[in-house]
Amino acid sequence: MSPPTSPQTPFARFVHSEAFAGLLLICTALLAFLWANSPWREAYATFQHLHFALTLGSATLDLSVQHWVNDGLMAVFFLLVGLEIKRELLIGELSSRRRASLAGAAAAGGMLLPGLMYALLNAGGPGAGGWGVPMATDIAFALGVLALLGSRIPIGLKVFLTALAIVDDLGAVLVIALFYTSNLDLAFLGLAALTWSAALYAGWRGARSLKVYGVLGALLWFFVLRSGLHATIAGVLLALAVPIRKPDPAGYLSSLTAAARPGRGEQVGARLRDLEDLLERAQSPLHRLEHALHPFVTFVVLPVFALVNAGVSVVAGGVGTVSFGIMLGLLLGKPLGVVGGAWLAVRFGVASLPRRVTWGHMIGAGLLAGIGFTMSLFVSNLAFEEGALLTQAKLGVLMASVLAAVLGLGWLWWISRQARPQAPSKA
């Protein structure tokens, strides 16, 4: 008989799931890198550029595997990101002004300084457009590294790093929408606006069926893709429309009272089934959609993205100023920007450090924020066409992410050793 498991809070379950996602990403990224540098590298390139067509009536979408993943599957990832941002802003860690101020200031510094460092190093060169690559943090990897330290790390640091990454993701979405967008097709942009308006209206009216948002989301994705905006923006836009509302406790109380009334076994069973259905329906559409998407994104979307995008052939290109700019931004700009932004927020009294979190812990969080894997690879594909610059960018992202993970882990391990009370020596 297995021992009973202790109940976990939603946040603890989230951290555990993201830690596993980090391990899965490492394995798939390593597999892609080895494949791209093996004697079968041509098969990897063929796999990336294999085309699949989807025909609906007179409309046909003919995209390569890489584009289906980066434009299609990643839209689901950005939908989940958007849902998490909305939840945290309304009822989560970012709903508190002081916590939101700390995460916002740290994220702002952690985006501006890396981008500036990269831009200064690559000013006037062919790689100047990649300034957005070192601006993002990969939450799955970062929390995965924190999980290796277990209880040595205060929960407040995990909460801060999660909030930081969520604000960071919001900033990355804005950067993609504003600076990495091709020529716009106003007709499709108008259709996307009408579809999004319909989704917002459905959310405002309290539509609870996820099928409604699924249909509107598919249409929105298609119109955004054809409009010239990056298709993943559709995921964030849809997330803003999905409602999150607090349930009415009176309905639960009456149903619980009814279920507790004496009666025959089949009557009590029917009441309990009704109560179970009520509790299921009582979850807001946002929570239900977030819970439904999380395993799919963890076990399918991110590993497939890593498999398709992390295969960098070292033979095809070397390390250049693009790689150095990304490494400088992620390894130096990120920790300086994160800690500096947080210090300014605390210094001016608009925020305070979480309980039991020291500035030494914050330096460790800043180092881990340099793990840019998923978002940085994604922006690399937007900033550069196929060729040597894209190879340099991906190499820079992979090397910086590995080094940031090692440095962050080592620093936090050392800080936790310093903070641990020493046992008295025997005479």
Side-chain angles (χ1 to χ4, degrees):
M1 182 176 177
S2 59
T5 57
S6 58
Q8 289 183 314
T9 65
F11 185 78
R13 288 196 301 271
F14 170 75
V15 169
H16 178 77
S17 176
E18 292 298 327
F20 181 77
L23 177 62
L24 197 58
L25 276 175
I26 291 172
C27 293
T28 49
L30 182 61
L31 174 62
F33 186 81
L34 293 176
W35 187 4
N37 290 278
S38 72
W40 303 280
R41 65 175 64 92
E42 293 297 330
Y44 181 76
T46 301
F47 162 67
Q48 283 181 308
H49 297 98
L50 188 64
H51 274 248
F52 289 95
L54 177 64
T55 301
L56 294 173
S58 59
T60 300
L61 277 179
D62 188 358
L63 303 173
S64 66
V65 167
Q66 191 171 39
H67 280 97
W68 275 117
V69 171
N70 293 349
D71 293 344
L73 282 182
M74 287 301 285
V76 182
F77 166 74
F78 275 86
L79 171 58
L80 181 61
V81 167
L83 293 172
E84 290 174 346
I85 291 172
K86 183 173 181 177
R87 170 175 50 78
E88 292 297 323
L89 285 172
L90 294 179
I91 62 173
E93 294 302 321
L94 300 178
S95 61
S96 163
R97 184 183 63 83
R98 294 185 70 83
R99 285 196 294 253
S101 297
L102 184 67
M111 295 186 74
L112 293 175
L113 199 54
L116 180 61
M117 287 183 170
Y118 178 96
L120 290 175
L121 189 62
N122 287 272
W131 55 268
V133 176
M135 296 177 69
T137 296
D138 191 304
I139 183 59
F141 270 156
L143 287 178
V145 172
L146 273 185
L148 297 176
L149 295 169
S151 60
R152 295 185 183 93
I153 300 302
I155 189 66
L157 187 68
K158 299 177 183 178
V159 173
F160 165 74
L161 189 57
T162 303
L164 167 68
I166 288 172
V167 179
D168 192 276
D169 284 343
L170 178 59
V173 169
L174 293 175
V175 167
I176 291 169
L178 296 176
F179 300 103
Y180 291 102
T181 293
S182 58
N183 296 327
L184 296 179
D185 185 314
L186 295 181
F188 278 107
L189 193 62
L191 290 172
L194 287 174
T195 307
W196 188 38
S197 299
L200 289 171
Y201 178 75
W204 178 70
R205 293 287 297 175
R208 300 186 58 82
S209 174
L210 296 184
K211 294 179 182 178
V212 172
Y213 302 103
V215 172
L216 290 173
L219 289 173
L220 180 61
W221 175 82
F222 176 77
F223 292 144
V224 170
L225 176 67
R226 289 299 182 90
S227 73
L229 288 172
H230 199 274
T232 52
I233 301 299
V236 179
L237 294 177
L238 181 64
L240 297 178
V242 180
I244 176 171
R245 292 182 179 165
K246 294 181 179 179
D248 177 18
Y252 297 142
L253 186 58
S254 61
S255 299
L256 283 169
T257 304
R261 286 202 308 265
R264 297 180 179 179
E266 60 272 14
Q267 292 175 329
V268 174
R271 293 172 192 160
L272 289 175
R273 284 192 296 272
D274 290 342
L275 179 59
E276 186 177 333
D277 292 339
L278 176 65
L279 292 173
E280 175 69 22
R281 284 184 280 108
Q283 281 191 312
S284 74
L286 186 144
H287 284 96
R288 286 189 289 127
L289 184 56
E290 186 180 354
H291 293 158
L293 288 179
H294 205 284
F296 178 68
V297 170
T298 300
F299 299 120
V300 179
V301 174
L302 293 181
V304 170
F305 173 82
L307 181 64
V308 170
N309 290 279
V312 185
S313 176
V314 180
V315 178
V319 176
T321 55
V322 169
S323 301
F324 289 130
I326 291 170
M327 294 180 71
L328 182 67
L330 288 175
L331 293 174
L332 184 60
K334 268 291 183 182
L336 287 178
V338 167
V339 177
W343 183 84
L344 287 174
V346 173
R347 176 70 177 79
F348 287 101
V350 298
S352 57
L353 292 184
R355 191 170 65 90
R356 295 181 55 223
V357 172
T358 66
W359 285 110
H361 290 123
M362 294 294 285
I363 293 173
L367 289 168
L368 291 182
I371 304 174
F373 185 78
T374 302
M375 279 292 200
S376 293
L377 285 178
F378 185 78
V379 177
S380 297
N381 287 313
L382 301 180
F384 302 112
E385 299 291 337
E386 291 286 343
L389 291 180
L390 181 58
T391 299
Q392 287 186 32
K394 289 186 175 183
L395 280 174
V397 169
L398 294 175
M399 289 188 293
S401 296
V402 171
L403 286 173
V406 173
L407 290 173
L409 180 63
W411 176 268
L412 287 172
W413 177 82
W414 182 76
I415 286 294
S416 64
R417 292 273 298 181
Q418 296 298 110
R420 186 180 302 173
Q422 301 293 323
S425 58
K426 294 182 180 180

